[in-house]
């Protein structure tokens, strides 16, 4: 079983073997050290620190199970089981991304919400903005993080919809989206950096493509310390199908996630 170790700023997930749904991952939280005014010849104040921890429950699981007939295997001119398994793994990632992104936005307080303005949940209509101000929602989100003393240490991120990204590409600041990354944005979703945030496009945000007319998309901006996530792919199997002539291919992925620093995340409501 693969051991999992995840480290995020100010938090560390201890090295833990994830064996299945129901397992727990312990997050050791580093306490905030208090700063005092030094007075000559006075006793130094002593801060007692305790070993704080947060428990991340591995309480979610997703799987796949498909059949490939022997006829298809023999007649296919490609490694059909390998290709289908690769697609299953990709669909698994999409499903888990949706599970996370369409849940954690609800952990963000109204004060950390950006709509028509900071601290307002009324969604902003992007098409109502002038071209030069398409970037405003992200700048406002950055202001919220600054106000919450979230560090600008290269670990800020933003996850936006394809529509929002298109507006940014049309803006006067489109050059900031040009990336020298050696991986294509079509494969990893990364489109560039704005105001110290690594910007990613995702179709997995709630209402990302406007399927619910008039409803906002719940984009997110945050810092790596905001969320904890652990995942383990388990039990890939190939076995004869007892009901027909074919091979069953199935797999299971267990995972868990938790918002551990909600003040380090911003909900951006746009449509």
């Amino acid at each position: 079983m693969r051991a999992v170790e995840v480290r995020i700023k100010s938090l560390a997930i201890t090295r833990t073997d994830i064996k299945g749904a129901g397992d727990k991952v312990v997050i050791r939280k580093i306490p905030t050290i208090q700063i005092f005014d030094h007075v000559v010849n006075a006793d130094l104040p002593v801060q007692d620190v305790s070993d704080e921890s947060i428990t991340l429950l591995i309480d979610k699981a997703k799987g796949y199970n498909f059949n490939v007939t022997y006829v298809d295997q023999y007649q296919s001119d490609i490694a059909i089981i390998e290709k289908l398994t690769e697609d299953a793994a990709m669909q698994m990632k999409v499903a888990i991304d949706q599970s996370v992104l369409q849940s954690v936005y609800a952990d963000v307080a109204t004060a950390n919400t950006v709509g028509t303005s900071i601290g307002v949940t009324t969604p902003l209509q992007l098409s109502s903005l002038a071209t030069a101000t398409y970037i405003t929602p992200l700048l406002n989100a950055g202001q919220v993080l600054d106000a919450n003393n979230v560090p600008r240490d290269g670990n800020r991120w933003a996850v936006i919809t394809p529509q929002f990204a298109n507006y940014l590409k049309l803006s006067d600041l489109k050059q900031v989206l040009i990336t020298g990354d050696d991986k294509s944005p079509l494969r990893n979703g990364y489109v560039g950096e704005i105001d110290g945030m690594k910007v990613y496009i995702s179709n997995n945000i709630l209402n990302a493509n406007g399927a619910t007319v008039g409803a906002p998309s719940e984009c997110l901006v945050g810092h790596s310390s905001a969320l904890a996530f652990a995942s383990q792919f388990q039990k890939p199997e190939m076995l004869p199908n007892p009901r027909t002539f074919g091979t069953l291919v199935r797999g299971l992925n267990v995972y868990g996630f938790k918002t551990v620093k909600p003040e380090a995340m911003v909900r951006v409501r746009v449509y």
Side-chain angles (χ1 to χ4, degrees):
M1 200 64 63
R2 183 171 64 88
V4 174
E5 182 176 22
V6 181
R7 298 193 66 84
I8 51 181
K9 194 70 174 179
S10 302
L11 296 165
I13 295 178
T14 57
R15 192 172 182 85
T16 307
D17 286 327
I18 297 177
K19 297 179 180 178
D23 278 8
K24 297 177 180 179
V25 176
V26 177
I27 304 169
R28 301 297 180 187
K29 186 176 181 181
I30 300 174
T32 301
I33 299 301
Q34 300 169 1
I35 304 301
F36 61 86
D37 293 326
H38 175 58
V39 178
V40 178
N41 297 325
D43 291 340
L44 298 179
V46 178
Q47 176 185 351
D48 292 326
V49 296
S50 58
D51 184 13
E52 300 180 50
S53 65
I54 300 171
T55 299
L56 174 62
L57 182 62
I58 308 304
D59 58 350
K60 297 174 178 60
K62 293 188 182 295
Y64 59 83
N65 183 25
F66 61 88
N67 177 68
V68 182
T69 68
Y70 292 149
V71 174
D72 287 338
Q73 293 178 53
Y74 293 142
Q75 293 183 347
S76 176
D77 59 354
I78 61 173
I80 188 169
I81 289 181
E82 180 182 347
K83 295 299 182 183
L84 290 172
T85 303
E86 289 176 359
D87 183 71
M90 179 61 68
Q91 299 307 321
M92 180 77 77
K93 292 177 182 179
V94 169
I96 292 176
D97 276 359
Q98 289 175 343
S99 176
V100 176
L101 293 174
Q102 295 183 17
S103 298
V104 297
Y105 74 86
D107 297 331
V108 178
T110 298
N112 274 28
T113 300
V114 171
T116 52
S117 61
I118 295 175
V120 175
T121 59
T122 304
L124 175 66
Q125 186 174 6
L126 292 170
S127 60
S128 69
L129 297 175
T131 303
T133 58
Y134 290 147
I135 198 173
T136 299
L138 292 182
L139 297 181
N140 285 344
Q143 180 181 332
V144 172
L145 294 180
D146 290 338
N148 290 339
N149 296 317
V150 176
R152 286 181 173 270
D153 57 0
N155 291 313
R156 290 187 180 187
W157 47 262
V159 184
I160 63 175
T161 65
Q163 182 193 46
F164 194 172
N166 189 51
Y167 277 105
L168 290 176
K169 293 171 186 176
L170 294 171
S171 73
D172 294 339
L173 295 175
K174 55 182 174 290
Q175 64 269 21
V176 302
L177 294 174
I178 297 174
T179 172
D181 193 355
D182 59 359
K183 294 182 180 179
S184 167
L186 293 176
R187 286 189 289 127
N188 66 10
Y190 178 63
V191 293
E193 188 169 317
I194 294 177
D195 195 28
M197 310 167 193
K198 294 180 175 64
V199 181
Y200 298 87
I201 300 174
S202 177
N203 278 322
N204 300 320
I205 296 169
L206 186 65
N207 204 37
N209 294 307
T212 303
V213 178
S217 301
E218 301 288 355
C219 301
L220 288 168
V221 171
H223 186 269
S224 61
S225 62
L227 299 171
F229 175 84
S231 174
Q232 174 69 57
F233 192 85
Q234 294 187 314
K235 301 178 181 177
E237 296 178 337
M238 291 177 57
L239 62 159
N241 189 336
R243 296 180 179 273
T244 187
F245 294 103
T247 301
L248 286 175
V249 183
R250 60 192 185 189
L252 178 68
N253 199 123
V254 296
Y255 66 102
F257 58 90
K258 191 170 189 175
T259 301
V260 292
K261 292 185 69 176
E263 69 274 16
M265 191 161 58
V266 183
R267 177 181 180 183
V268 180
R269 310 192 81 210
V270 296
Y271 70 98

